[in-house]
Amino acid sequence: MADKVQRMSAEHGVMIFSKSTCCLCYAVTILFRDLGVDPYVHELDHDSDGKDMEKALMRMGCNASVPAVFIGGKFVGSTNEVMSLHLKGSLIQLLKPYLPD
């Protein structure tokens, strides 16, 4: 299942693995949209492979299975890591290739 996660994250510049009931997932998605990026959001609870994908994300180092954020095919982290990057001003640098001109 890790290969499916890697493939999906490589196909989309900004990817969030999420659950439809997760308020932190929603907050991270809104942050990206407010910064001008439209992330691809994959709802694990709407995917028949969702439970296995969740386990794969945990094995990849995501301390909370969702939200799991990938930028440019690289795992960035969950809510804490994303917010920390944002507060340091580093998140916008990572997102520059995906911002509209």
Side-chain angles (χ1 to χ4, degrees):
M1 215 36 66
D3 56 331
K4 181 177 180 179
V5 169
Q6 288 290 351
R7 186 178 66 253
M8 289 179 73
S9 62
E11 289 172 1
H12 304 281
V14 180
M15 170 97 196
I16 302 172
F17 289 94
S18 176
K19 285 188 180 173
S20 60
T21 57
C22 173
C23 62
L24 292 175
C25 297
Y26 177 76
V28 168
T29 301
I30 294 301
L31 171 65
F32 282 115
R33 289 187 180 141
D34 285 349
L35 293 173
V37 173
D38 190 24
Y40 181 82
V41 179
H42 186 76
E43 304 286 1
L44 295 177
D45 54 337
H46 295 172
D47 185 326
S48 59
D49 291 331
K51 291 273 186 213
D52 291 330
M53 291 174 75
E54 215 175 323
K55 290 175 187 167
L57 287 164
M58 298 290 275
R59 284 192 297 275
M60 294 170 78
C62 193
N63 54 358
S65 61
V66 292
V69 177
F70 288 78
I71 300 174
K74 292 184 171 58
F75 177 60
V76 173
S78 193
T79 309
N80 288 343
E81 292 81 12
V82 169
M83 293 304 179
S84 177
L85 286 169
H86 180 54
L87 292 173
K88 290 191 286 190
S90 305
L91 182 61
I92 199 73
Q93 297 303 316
L94 291 173
L95 294 174
K96 271 194 176 173
Y98 309 102
L99 292 171
D101 293 329

